[in-house]
Amino acid sequence: MIQRLWKEGSLLVSDFLERFAAISYGDALVPEEDVYRTAADTMDMHLFQMAGLELPPDLLALPREVAVRRARQGVPLDAFLEAIRNDFRVLWKGLERVARDNGIGVLVANMDRVLDTVEGYVSSIQQAFAEEEALLARNKQLYRQRLLSRLFNTEFGSPGEVRDLAAALGTQPDETFEVLAVTAEAVPQAQRQFESDHRTYVYENTGALYLFRQQRRGRTWRQEPPGFPAGYVPDAAGLAAVPAAAAAAHVLAGRKGAGTGLA
């Protein structure tokens, strides 16, 4: 049956692409040729595995290569896995087609073999996708930290430099910001509290942690304290003013009376 199915590889790919048309990858841009080539290679890989044959090197590396590529393309994992799980339906429909009446019993008896082949692929994809997403997140965080280091350690010579840095950070150069400076034992708590808050910029330097964000009317850190001791400076007029505000907040954080709350 697998030999017969191998001769119908183009039908398998067509069936997959027809099912794939109902799946949305959101804003991710995946070229049609990429989808087609991946579908063809994946079907070949499944057929090799179901036949008990050794995978050639290019197919052996396929799960990781596809997962890495889709993660970099920004494909949502749920949609990606939904597409992959269609492989079972495609293979089963193909096997039913080539089994004919006298092969249905053999096909049903080997259903687990088909399912295990696809689920093994799914597991490999999930692991590689998660690893690549973690790497991309670390690289993105590293890039952001380099931008923040530039902000805190550069004397800007022109408004254009500030505008470029603000654009890279995803903010506006002329916004009004509020700034926190955190020291000593409060640093780990502040890191944990704001590590997933993408509206807040976090920069650590020489034992102090600086946090700043766009100041919002009625919802400032003074009105909604973060829950750990910190020096606080509001009304920093523009991104270029943030480092000076951070220095002032650091002085406030070191005051003797700033053991709790904001100083």
mmCIF file with all atom_site columns, all heavy atoms in Angstrom, residues 163-174:
data_model
loop_
_atom_site.group_PDB
_atom_site.id
_atom_site.type_symbol
_atom_site.label_atom_id
_atom_site.label_alt_id
_atom_site.label_comp_id
_atom_site.label_asym_id
_atom_site.label_entity_id
_atom_site.label_seq_id
_atom_site.pdbx_PDB_ins_code
_atom_site.Cartn_x
_atom_site.Cartn_y
_atom_site.Cartn_z
_atom_site.occupancy
_atom_site.B_iso_or_equiv
_atom_site.pdbx_formal_charge
_atom_site.auth_seq_id
_atom_site.auth_comp_id
_atom_site.auth_asym_id
_atom_site.auth_atom_id
_atom_site.pdbx_PDB_model_num
ATOM 1  N N   . ARG A 1 163 ? 15.274 60.506 17.762 1.00 0.00 ? 163 ARG A N   1
ATOM 2  C CA  . ARG A 1 163 ? 14.130 59.968 17.017 1.00 0.00 ? 163 ARG A CA  1
ATOM 3  C C   . ARG A 1 163 ? 14.413 58.552 16.532 1.00 0.00 ? 163 ARG A C   1
ATOM 4  O O   . ARG A 1 163 ? 13.554 57.669 16.610 1.00 0.00 ? 163 ARG A O   1
ATOM 5  C CB  . ARG A 1 163 ? 13.794 60.869 15.821 1.00 0.00 ? 163 ARG A CB  1
ATOM 6  C CG  . ARG A 1 163 ? 13.089 62.166 16.185 1.00 0.00 ? 163 ARG A CG  1
ATOM 7  C CD  . ARG A 1 163 ? 12.457 62.808 14.950 1.00 0.00 ? 163 ARG A CD  1
ATOM 8  N NE  . ARG A 1 163 ? 13.460 63.132 13.933 1.00 0.00 ? 163 ARG A NE  1
ATOM 9  C CZ  . ARG A 1 163 ? 14.095 64.290 13.870 1.00 0.00 ? 163 ARG A CZ  1
ATOM 10 N NH1 . ARG A 1 163 ? 13.852 65.231 14.783 1.00 0.00 ? 163 ARG A NH1 1
ATOM 11 N NH2 . ARG A 1 163 ? 14.978 64.519 12.919 1.00 0.00 ? 163 ARG A NH2 1
ATOM 12 N N   . ASP A 1 164 ? 15.623 58.317 16.046 1.00 0.00 ? 164 ASP A N   1
ATOM 13 C CA  . ASP A 1 164 ? 15.984 56.982 15.565 1.00 0.00 ? 164 ASP A CA  1
ATOM 14 C C   . ASP A 1 164 ? 15.960 55.963 16.693 1.00 0.00 ? 164 ASP A C   1
ATOM 15 O O   . ASP A 1 164 ? 15.471 54.832 16.523 1.00 0.00 ? 164 ASP A O   1
ATOM 16 C CB  . ASP A 1 164 ? 17.376 57.006 14.927 1.00 0.00 ? 164 ASP A CB  1
ATOM 17 C CG  . ASP A 1 164 ? 17.398 57.769 13.609 1.00 0.00 ? 164 ASP A CG  1
ATOM 18 O OD1 . ASP A 1 164 ? 16.311 58.004 13.047 1.00 0.00 ? 164 ASP A OD1 1
ATOM 19 O OD2 . ASP A 1 164 ? 18.502 58.137 13.158 1.00 0.00 ? 164 ASP A OD2 1
ATOM 20 N N   . LEU A 1 165 ? 16.481 56.356 17.852 1.00 0.00 ? 165 LEU A N   1
ATOM 21 C CA  . LEU A 1 165 ? 16.493 55.444 18.996 1.00 0.00 ? 165 LEU A CA  1
ATOM 22 C C   . LEU A 1 165 ? 15.076 55.168 19.480 1.00 0.00 ? 165 LEU A C   1
ATOM 23 O O   . LEU A 1 165 ? 14.730 54.025 19.807 1.00 0.00 ? 165 LEU A O   1
ATOM 24 C CB  . LEU A 1 165 ? 17.342 56.028 20.122 1.00 0.00 ? 165 LEU A CB  1
ATOM 25 C CG  . LEU A 1 165 ? 17.479 55.160 21.376 1.00 0.00 ? 165 LEU A CG  1
ATOM 26 C CD1 . LEU A 1 165 ? 18.113 53.817 21.034 1.00 0.00 ? 165 LEU A CD1 1
ATOM 27 C CD2 . LEU A 1 165 ? 18.310 55.868 22.437 1.00 0.00 ? 165 LEU A CD2 1
ATOM 28 N N   . ALA A 1 166 ? 14.252 56.195 19.530 1.00 0.00 ? 166 ALA A N   1
ATOM 29 C CA  . ALA A 1 166 ? 12.861 56.021 19.956 1.00 0.00 ? 166 ALA A CA  1
ATOM 30 C C   . ALA A 1 166 ? 12.130 55.069 19.014 1.00 0.00 ? 166 ALA A C   1
ATOM 31 O O   . ALA A 1 166 ? 11.381 54.185 19.464 1.00 0.00 ? 166 ALA A O   1
ATOM 32 C CB  . ALA A 1 166 ? 12.153 57.369 20.000 1.00 0.00 ? 166 ALA A CB  1
ATOM 33 N N   . ALA A 1 167 ? 12.360 55.216 17.707 1.00 0.00 ? 167 ALA A N   1
ATOM 34 C CA  . ALA A 1 167 ? 11.709 54.336 16.740 1.00 0.00 ? 167 ALA A CA  1
ATOM 35 C C   . ALA A 1 167 ? 12.149 52.896 16.949 1.00 0.00 ? 167 ALA A C   1
ATOM 36 O O   . ALA A 1 167 ? 11.338 51.967 16.877 1.00 0.00 ? 167 ALA A O   1
ATOM 37 C CB  . ALA A 1 167 ? 12.036 54.806 15.316 1.00 0.00 ? 167 ALA A CB  1
ATOM 38 N N   . ALA A 1 168 ? 13.433 52.684 17.214 1.00 0.00 ? 168 ALA A N   1
ATOM 39 C CA  . ALA A 1 168 ? 13.944 51.332 17.449 1.00 0.00 ? 168 ALA A CA  1
ATOM 40 C C   . ALA A 1 168 ? 13.351 50.727 18.716 1.00 0.00 ? 168 ALA A C   1
ATOM 41 O O   . ALA A 1 168 ? 13.127 49.516 18.792 1.00 0.00 ? 168 ALA A O   1
ATOM 42 C CB  . ALA A 1 168 ? 15.467 51.354 17.536 1.00 0.00 ? 168 ALA A CB  1
ATOM 43 N N   . LEU A 1 169 ? 13.098 51.572 19.710 1.00 0.00 ? 169 LEU A N   1
ATOM 44 C CA  . LEU A 1 169 ? 12.524 51.100 20.975 1.00 0.00 ? 169 LEU A CA  1
ATOM 45 C C   . LEU A 1 169 ? 11.002 50.974 20.917 1.00 0.00 ? 169 LEU A C   1
ATOM 46 O O   . LEU A 1 169 ? 10.381 50.446 21.833 1.00 0.00 ? 169 LEU A O   1
ATOM 47 C CB  . LEU A 1 169 ? 12.902 52.048 22.111 1.00 0.00 ? 169 LEU A CB  1
ATOM 48 C CG  . LEU A 1 169 ? 14.333 51.950 22.625 1.00 0.00 ? 169 LEU A CG  1
ATOM 49 C CD1 . LEU A 1 169 ? 14.656 53.117 23.553 1.00 0.00 ? 169 LEU A CD1 1
ATOM 50 C CD2 . LEU A 1 169 ? 14.557 50.630 23.354 1.00 0.00 ? 169 LEU A CD2 1
ATOM 51 N N   . GLY A 1 170 ? 10.401 51.486 19.842 1.00 0.00 ? 170 GLY A N   1
ATOM 52 C CA  . GLY A 1 170 ? 8.956  51.399 19.710 1.00 0.00 ? 170 GLY A CA  1
ATOM 53 C C   . GLY A 1 170 ? 8.216  52.426 20.530 1.00 0.00 ? 170 GLY A C   1
ATOM 54 O O   . GLY A 1 170 ? 7.114  52.156 21.025 1.00 0.00 ? 170 GLY A O   1
ATOM 55 N N   . THR A 1 171 ? 8.785  53.599 20.687 1.00 0.00 ? 171 THR A N   1
ATOM 56 C CA  . THR A 1 171 ? 8.121  54.664 21.427 1.00 0.00 ? 171 THR A CA  1
ATOM 57 C C   . THR A 1 171 ? 8.293  55.976 20.669 1.00 0.00 ? 171 THR A C   1
ATOM 58 O O   . THR A 1 171 ? 8.870  56.012 19.586 1.00 0.00 ? 171 THR A O   1
ATOM 59 C CB  . THR A 1 171 ? 8.675  54.771 22.865 1.00 0.00 ? 171 THR A CB  1
ATOM 60 O OG1 . THR A 1 171 ? 7.860  55.679 23.624 1.00 0.00 ? 171 THR A OG1 1
ATOM 61 C CG2 . THR A 1 171 ? 10.122 55.240 22.866 1.00 0.00 ? 171 THR A CG2 1
ATOM 62 N N   . GLN A 1 172 ? 7.795  57.078 21.256 1.00 0.00 ? 172 GLN A N   1
ATOM 63 C CA  . GLN A 1 172 ? 7.903  58.393 20.644 1.00 0.00 ? 172 GLN A CA  1
ATOM 64 C C   . GLN A 1 172 ? 8.942  59.228 21.395 1.00 0.00 ? 172 GLN A C   1
ATOM 65 O O   . GLN A 1 172 ? 9.004  59.179 22.636 1.00 0.00 ? 172 GLN A O   1
ATOM 66 C CB  . GLN A 1 172 ? 6.553  59.116 20.666 1.00 0.00 ? 172 GLN A CB  1
ATOM 67 C CG  . GLN A 1 172 ? 5.470  58.417 19.858 1.00 0.00 ? 172 GLN A CG  1
ATOM 68 C CD  . GLN A 1 172 ? 5.810  58.370 18.381 1.00 0.00 ? 172 GLN A CD  1
ATOM 69 O OE1 . GLN A 1 172 ? 6.355  59.316 17.822 1.00 0.00 ? 172 GLN A OE1 1
ATOM 70 N NE2 . GLN A 1 172 ? 5.483  57.250 17.734 1.00 0.00 ? 172 GLN A NE2 1
ATOM 71 N N   . PRO A 1 173 ? 9.753  60.008 20.675 1.00 0.00 ? 173 PRO A N   1
ATOM 72 C CA  . PRO A 1 173 ? 10.826 60.755 21.341 1.00 0.00 ? 173 PRO A CA  1
ATOM 73 C C   . PRO A 1 173 ? 10.327 61.868 22.250 1.00 0.00 ? 173 PRO A C   1
ATOM 74 O O   . PRO A 1 173 ? 11.012 62.253 23.201 1.00 0.00 ? 173 PRO A O   1
ATOM 75 C CB  . PRO A 1 173 ? 11.631 61.328 20.174 1.00 0.00 ? 173 PRO A CB  1
ATOM 76 C CG  . PRO A 1 173 ? 10.667 61.389 19.035 1.00 0.00 ? 173 PRO A CG  1
ATOM 77 C CD  . PRO A 1 173 ? 9.757  60.226 19.211 1.00 0.00 ? 173 PRO A CD  1
ATOM 78 N N   . ASP A 1 174 ? 9.116  62.381 21.983 1.00 0.00 ? 174 ASP A N   1
ATOM 79 C CA  . ASP A 1 174 ? 8.619  63.539 22.736 1.00 0.00 ? 174 ASP A CA  1
ATOM 80 C C   . ASP A 1 174 ? 7.565  63.183 23.775 1.00 0.00 ? 174 ASP A C   1
ATOM 81 O O   . ASP A 1 174 ? 6.897  64.073 24.317 1.00 0.00 ? 174 ASP A O   1
ATOM 82 C CB  . ASP A 1 174 ? 8.047  64.576 21.759 1.00 0.00 ? 174 ASP A CB  1
ATOM 83 C CG  . ASP A 1 174 ? 9.095  65.067 20.774 1.00 0.00 ? 174 ASP A CG  1
ATOM 84 O OD1 . ASP A 1 174 ? 10.264 65.218 21.191 1.00 0.00 ? 174 ASP A OD1 1
ATOM 85 O OD2 . ASP A 1 174 ? 8.754  65.281 19.601 1.00 0.00 ? 174 ASP A OD2 1
#
